[in-house]
Amino acid sequence: MACVSRPLRVLIVDDDALVRTGLAMMLDGAEGIAVVGEAADGEEAVALAGTHFPDVVLMDLRMPGVDGVAATRRLRGTPRPPEVVVLTTFDSDDDILRALRAGASGYLLKDTPPPRIAEAVRRAADGEPVLSPRVARRLMDRVAVHAESRRRARTALAALSPREYEVALAVARGLSNAEIAAELLLSVATVKAHVSTVLAKLALDNRTQLALLAHDAGLE
């Protein structure tokens, strides 16, 4: 957390000089915030952070050379890691998740109003996560979709008998009928019968679909 007795030190990282200039002018005019440096790529950002020790880094995502994700990961691994808030035009699920997994504490889009960017800097310095509303909705939608897929898959598998369930999980693990028979102490003919019944009950066409269903249920 940043010391409250001095302005928050901010490093701006963007490969567009006009964007850097605009952000610097806006943030330098915000109460309690001081821009201590500007970098055009991730490599320069890491170097400047080691000199200026910013509290918060506003990080562009896609830049030549070392991109924002790699730079974020490197910054968060330093002895005095700054908070990193991604500020980008890209809001794909992959971009968002890569940045957050690398250690970013915030993800804002460049259409975010200037006062909200300044507020995000303050919140990030206080250890609070900050997300653009659109980004937050995408993450919630992703979680909801995955949760619903898991619920449906588990509901479907719950219709199986205990023995059918064991066979289904064995199929999902990639075992052959002979291997399943040996593991569950059944005949191969009995295993084949169980597999056929499982596929019919679940309205599936093949073993691959069964494996995918188990994956969706989080059981493979």
Side-chain angles (χ1 to χ4, degrees), residues 103-151:
S105 58
Y107 198 106
L108 302 178
L109 301 179
K110 286 184 177 177
D111 60 4
T112 301
R116 294 196 63 176
I117 295 177
E119 181 60 24
V121 167
R122 298 187 185 97
R123 288 178 58 191
D126 283 336
E128 298 181 33
V130 287
L131 298 172
S132 287
R134 195 159 84 227
V135 170
R137 281 196 300 272
R138 289 188 72 94
L139 289 177
M140 287 188 291
D141 288 346
R142 182 184 178 92
V143 170
V145 167
H146 284 197
E148 179 60 20
S149 295
R150 176 160 294 191
R151 186 195 66 78

Side-chain angles (χ1 to χ4, degrees), residues 80-128:
R80 293 174 57 179
E83 299 296 334
V84 177
V85 176
V86 169
L87 184 62
T88 182
T89 57
F90 303 101
D91 68 342
S92 72
D93 289 355
D94 184 58
D95 287 324
I96 296 168
L97 292 174
R98 286 175 62 236
L100 296 180
R101 286 169 177 161
S105 58
Y107 198 106
L108 302 178
L109 301 179
K110 286 184 177 177
D111 60 4
T112 301
R116 294 196 63 176
I117 295 177
E119 181 60 24
V121 167
R122 298 187 185 97
R123 288 178 58 191
D126 283 336
E128 298 181 33

Side-chain angles (χ1 to χ4, degrees), residues 157 168 171-172 198-199 202 204 206-214:
L157 290 169
V171 170
V198 167
L199 294 178
L202 299 177
L204 301 176
N206 53 50
R207 298 166 80 101
T208 299
Q209 289 180 346
L210 178 56
L212 290 174
L213 184 68

